[in-house]
Amino acid sequence: MQARRMKTLNKLYQHTPCYSWHVKAGARMVEFAGYLMPVSYSSLIEEHLNVRANAGLFDVSHMGEIFVEGREAKEFLQSVLVSDVDKLFPGLAIYTLFCNERGGIIDDLIVYCLKEQKYLICSNAATTEKDFSWLVKQKSRFDVELRNKSVEYAQFALQGPRAEEIFRLIANPALCAIKRFHFASGEIDDIPVIVCRTGYTGEDGFEIFLPSSSARTLWEKILSAGAEAKLMPIGLGARDTLRLEQGYLLYGQDMDEETTPFEAGIGWTVSLHKEFIGKEALKRQKEEGLKRNRVGFVMEGNEIARHDYAIVSTERKPIGRVTSGTFSPSLKKGIGMGYVPANSVKIGDEISIAIRSGFAKGRIVKMPFVIGSSSRQA
Amino acid sequence: MEFPENLLYTKEHEWLRHEDDHVVVGITDYAQDALGDIVFVELPEEGDSVVKDDAFGIIESIKAVSDIYAPISGHILEVNEALLDSPSKINEDPYHTGWMVKIKMENESELDDLLTMEEYEQFVNEERELGLDKEEEEEELDM
């Protein structure tokens, strides 16, 4: 990466606190959601496989952190989230969504119950501003305060079957012992952290929130502690292939404000037993049935399906579009997901993908495409 | 980054080795490094005609799809079939086992338009300075 190019890009984009570490490590930097982020440090495939076999450390400080605090924090969240917040208690987190009145997904999030009247929302980098203004608009009748602290907080993800082994070398046993979707606050070398057993890779692991000012110190500490266990820094490129192998959705690509949770296959987040924005539309859709839904497919040959390629039936009739597609480093094959008319295909069916001037065969499969250590553990 | 002296180069980051009436063609070390892990290639068939500067194949890394342009007009003498099953050979050894096609030249004078090693090296340095090349733009849209 040459000096002049970086100078131009630096003016346009934000940095995470570990930015200069990434550049110094020789990472290939790309723009993502307004940030200059490492896409890979060495080989994307090598990074991907290392997370599946050992462990990887991701700088995901671009993600948003919104704090919700006040007497009616719970009631407020109950009204804007599709999930039942009553199920949360201090130390537990949930994967959930904001929807609009039409039941379309505004964002997917993890919500952490810090204490009875205080919650942390972790949002997508590209949607944090949108989420925050939307929340501000909804809060009028609630006694609650909203704070967007995305710049003050850094976030790392330590993921892989050896994540706990590595984390034990730097964190106290209480932080290491937390179970899936549970979290704890504590300190690592006097750095205040919130540690959650979650991730976007399908592997066991931790997501760590910490003050941006201490980010570089902890980043280097985790990497050197994990060196013997083959820990590697991992870029956004492998983050994308890892999540895709799990069938996890990427907001803005696999779902948007025109997609409902039921269509996206994440209807399990929705609790229709309470009142929230979008409930009526979602209830109606559930009663009337879906018009389309998300499916996953594996390519038969060595072609790679990509975003926006057409999904066609065996009769060569277009039935949908690929929302995410890539080469799966674990399966050594093309995999992808997309939306098709409801009940038009079932698991095991053959489909084709229109690739350039031809068609390539694929097969509908159940997701996840690859079983990671997080489900083996559970 | 290695650019052998005995080869000719193009601004599309291909190399050519002149052997009698034909050339062996591949992509340069710079190109394979910029693309990252190569996971798919589509090449023309033996006997196909190719026209200088027209796309005659596809090369895909995990994040990007790129055309391969014919550096010279002629017809395809031989295709490196081994790449179809192991495209990563291009990353591992772009100038030897990673070769792509042999083209029988129609007009040897087209060789005069190609770059020498020194010229190509200078071109690469300028391109790196100026930044955002095609692959990277695609990547940004893709992510």
Side-chain angles (χ1 to χ4, degrees):
Chain A
M1 198 82 21
Q2 298 298 301
R4 200 191 313 170
R5 183 187 159 211
M6 293 316 300
K7 258 186 218 153
T8 319
L9 292 177
N10 284 348
K11 280 190 205 140
L12 298 169
Y13 304 121
Q14 286 181 271
H15 292 169
T16 74
C18 297
Y19 167 82
S20 56
W21 190 94
H22 303 315
V23 171
K24 215 170 149 202
R28 223 170 118 73
M29 305 298 285
V30 296
E31 185 275 339
F32 182 74
Y35 282 83
L36 270 185
M37 299 294 289
V39 69
S40 76
Y41 299 85
S42 51
S43 141
L44 194 162
I45 292 180
E46 194 188 328
E47 289 171 29
H48 177 114
L49 296 176
N50 197 62
V51 175
R52 292 265 181 259
N54 301 299
L57 187 64
F58 304 72
D59 178 12
V60 288
S61 301
H62 59 316
M63 304 287 286
E65 288 87 12
I66 296 171
F67 287 81
V68 180
E69 187 170 12
R71 197 173 54 81
E72 293 182 307
K74 186 190 200 171
E75 290 74 14
F76 173 63
L77 288 178
Q78 200 68 293
S79 76
V80 292
L81 293 171
V82 301
S83 311
D84 189 355
V85 184
D86 262 337
K87 288 182 189 153
L88 277 181
F89 51 82
L92 186 66
I94 44 165
Y95 174 76
T96 184
L97 312 165
F98 294 143
C99 281
N100 57 32
E101 292 287 354
R102 291 167 285 125
I105 302 168
I106 292 175
D107 201 6
D108 68 332
L109 325 142
I110 293 184
V111 175
Y112 301 78
C113 177
L114 298 171
K115 50 189 188 197
E116 204 58 39
Q117 296 177 354
K118 189 173 182 183
Y119 296 81
L120 163 61
I121 299 173
C122 178
S123 58
N124 284 293
T127 43
T128 300
E129 291 292 330
K130 174 184 89 165
D131 292 352
F132 191 74
S133 354
W134 183 77
L135 284 172
V136 167
K137 254 187 238 158
Q138 311 307 327
K139 81 162 200 126
S140 55
R141 56 196 180 87
F142 292 96
D143 180 8
V144 64
E145 247 187 279
L146 298 171
R147 272 185 293 256
N148 179 357
K149 293 202 177 181
S150 303
V151 178
E152 290 145 70
Y153 277 83
Q155 191 188 343
F156 302 149
L158 173 62
Q159 302 278 297
R162 301 182 76 174
E164 185 179 328
E165 172 194 334
I166 294 163
F167 204 48
R168 281 192 183 282
L169 301 172
I170 56 159
N172 67 55
L175 285 178
C176 303
I178 52 171
K179 302 250 180 304
R180 194 118 189 104
F181 269 94
H182 287 250
F183 70 92
S185 303
E187 284 183 356
I188 299 176
D189 280 2
D190 298 329
I191 301 169
V193 292
I194 299 173
V195 177
C196 188
R197 199 119 190 191
T198 45
Y200 197 41
T201 61
E203 297 301 328
D204 183 23
F206 303 88
E207 289 181 304
I208 305 157
F209 296 93
L210 70 156
S212 294
S213 52
S214 306
R216 174 90 183 242
T217 309
L218 188 62
W219 175 263
E220 289 181 17
K221 185 177 173 75
I222 301 173
L223 277 179
S224 58
E228 258 182 65
K230 301 198 173 136
L231 178 66
M232 279 169 68
I234 311 292
L236 285 191
R239 182 168 159 88
D240 193 52
T241 51
L242 287 159
R243 69 94 191 167
L244 199 38
E245 284 186 353
Q246 292 304 305
Y248 292 159
L249 300 103
L250 173 62
Y251 190 82
Q253 190 164 311
D254 303 306
M255 57 181 156
D256 54 24
E257 296 197 15
E258 307 309 315
T259 317
T260 72
F262 298 122
E263 292 166 346
I266 43 177
W268 55 267
T269 58
V270 178
S271 170
L272 291 173
H273 305 292
K274 57 145 208 172
E275 298 307 315
F276 63 93
I277 297 168
K279 177 186 173 178
E280 286 316 308
L282 290 174
K283 206 172 143 201
R284 210 174 318 122
Q285 188 178 54
K286 196 158 192 188
E287 285 159 8
E288 290 169 1
L290 296 179
K291 291 201 174 62
R292 57 172 195 150
N293 63 280
R294 184 173 64 102
V295 293
F297 58 85
V298 173
M299 302 304 291
E300 304 259 286
N302 52 7
E303 298 89 356
I304 300 159
R306 294 184 185 271
H307 176 70
D308 221 27
Y309 287 5
I311 304 172
V312 301
S313 66
T314 41
E315 295 84 36
R316 298 283 154 83
K317 235 182 61 191
I319 54 171
R321 295 239 155 231
V322 176
T323 53
S324 282
T326 194
F327 174 85
S328 155
S330 303
L331 302 176
K332 309 263 178 271
K333 267 185 181 181
I335 59 170
M337 57 171 89
Y339 289 83
V340 296
N343 306 315
S344 59
V345 295
K346 56 181 191 308
I347 305 296
D349 279 1
E350 189 183 304
I351 46 126
S352 287
I353 305 296
I355 300 185
R356 295 178 282 274
S357 54
F359 296 96
K361 266 192 213 170
R363 202 165 287 281
I364 301 292
V365 297
K366 202 169 173 282
M367 293 184 279
F369 300 98
V370 172
I371 306 290
S373 55
S374 69
S375 34
R376 286 201 295 270
Q377 188 194 42
Chain B
M1 207 149 288
E2 188 201 352
F3 306 125
E5 205 167 353
N6 59 335
L7 303 179
L8 293 166
Y9 297 88
T10 72
K11 290 188 175 177
E12 303 293 342
H13 304 289
E14 287 157 315
W15 57 262
L16 295 86
R17 191 166 59 236
H18 187 188
E19 293 178 349
D20 308 322
D21 62 342
H22 67 271
V23 287
V24 185
V25 179
I27 64 166
T28 66
D29 199 14
Y30 173 76
Q32 72 75 22
D33 184 69
L35 285 167
D37 297 300
I38 293 164
V39 291
F40 179 82
V41 285
E42 195 172 281
L43 296 171
E45 299 199 349
E46 230 176 271
D48 283 359
S49 294
V50 294
V51 178
K52 184 174 187 283
D53 297 333
D54 281 3
F56 74 93
I58 298 280
I59 189 160
E60 298 194 30
S61 67
I62 290 190
K63 297 305 305 176
V65 181
S66 314
D67 285 315
I68 314 168
Y69 295 95
I72 211 150
S73 301
H75 69 265
I76 303 291
L77 270 186
E78 201 181 329
V79 173
N80 185 358
E81 305 274 348
L83 294 185
L84 303 179
D85 284 329
S86 16
S88 60
K89 283 183 195 295
I90 299 171
N91 293 119
E92 289 151 15
D93 192 0
Y95 300 112
H96 300 99
T97 57
W99 70 275
M100 295 192 296
V101 291
K102 292 181 183 169
I103 303 175
K104 185 166 161 128
M105 290 177 283
E106 220 157 62
N107 180 358
E108 282 207 24
S109 70
E110 282 181 354
L111 289 175
D112 302 339
D113 304 339
L114 300 169
L115 307 178
T116 63
M117 184 267 265
E118 288 84 5
E119 288 164 339
Y120 178 67
E121 206 164 29
Q122 194 187 346
F123 173 71
V124 164
N125 287 335
E126 280 165 17
E127 193 172 281
R128 278 177 170 170
E129 284 271 316
L130 289 172
L132 286 177
D133 57 26
K134 236 170 28 192
E135 280 101 50
E136 285 175 7
E137 276 170 30
E138 270 176 54
E139 223 166 45
E140 280 167 32
L141 298 173
D142 238 47
M143 298 266 316

